[in-house]
Amino acid sequence: VEEVYLKLMELIVRFSKHGLIHCDFNEFNIMIDNDENITVIDFPQMVSTSHPDAEMYFERGVNCIRVFFEKKFNYIGDYYPKFSDCQESDIELDVAVEASGFSKTHQKEFEELMRFHNIRNVEKKEEEEYDEYDEEEEEEE
């Protein structure tokens, strides 16, 4: 339990160091297999670390994981990151994917960048979901 908890906290930090805040980082958007490999889903609502509410979303994600682990596993982790502790790297995924909601093209670029930088377990959406999302975008324009 502790190892998975720490991996999740490190993942939140890793995203933020690359300019991204997930915005909905909680037990409903995280899948853990029997080998304790973590898969994070539901990226379209992410925002940049420069977004005015980035700190609030970051800390909410950290707190969601802490509360979940306490309730589900009776585990209280000593370590939990603060937004102020996360310094960005030279990799600006938020800029690359135009974080704060993005299209099919941005989703594909994001997945390529995640693979390039060896960030594991990015969920690939079905082509139909992409097409459906793009159709909605076109209708709004």
Side-chain angles (χ1 to χ4, degrees):
V1 170
E2 180 180 16
E3 186 176 330
V4 172
Y5 171 86
L6 290 173
K7 283 181 184 179
L8 290 169
M9 292 301 167
E10 290 169 6
L11 192 53
I12 294 171
V13 170
R14 193 169 182 188
F15 282 138
S16 68
K17 285 186 174 183
H18 290 83
L20 297 172
I21 305 297
H22 186 278
C23 287
D24 201 15
F25 200 86
N26 59 51
E27 69 272 20
F28 302 108
N29 292 321
I30 296 168
M31 298 183 291
I32 303 167
D33 68 16
N34 292 334
D35 295 324
E36 297 185 345
N37 293 311
I38 297 168
T39 301
V40 179
I41 61 171
D42 198 15
F43 287 96
Q45 53 200 352
M46 75 175 82
V47 298
S48 169
T49 51
S50 61
H51 187 279
D53 295 325
E55 184 172 2
M56 182 273 299
Y57 286 124
F58 178 90
E59 292 182 0
R60 182 176 74 177
V62 168
N63 196 46
C64 283
I65 298 303
R66 293 181 73 208
V67 168
F68 174 73
F69 271 73
E70 183 175 356
K71 287 182 179 179
K72 178 81 173 176
F73 305 109
N74 200 28
Y75 175 79
I76 300 172
D78 293 331
Y79 168 73
Y80 56 95
K82 299 276 188 206
F83 184 74
S84 58
D85 298 334
C86 299
Q87 297 178 9
E88 292 182 33
S89 72
D90 293 335
I91 304 165
E92 296 178 326
L93 289 178
D94 58 332
V95 173
V97 299
E98 298 179 16
S100 124
F102 49 94
S103 68
K104 174 182 172 183
T105 302
H106 294 133
Q107 177 71 25
K108 287 180 180 179
E109 289 172 359
F110 173 71
E111 289 173 357
E112 288 171 15
L113 284 167
M114 295 290 279
R115 280 191 292 279
F116 177 78
H117 293 291
N118 200 27
I119 299 174
R120 296 185 54 211
N121 297 326
V122 176
E123 179 189 71
K124 248 191 134 121
K125 302 253 186 215
E126 296 294 326
E127 192 65 35
E128 297 154 8
E129 290 177 288
Y130 288 134
D131 293 341
E132 191 175 293
Y133 185 78
D134 283 344
E135 287 172 11
E136 289 173 12
E137 270 191 320
E138 288 173 10
E139 287 174 11
E140 289 176 9
E141 293 174 3

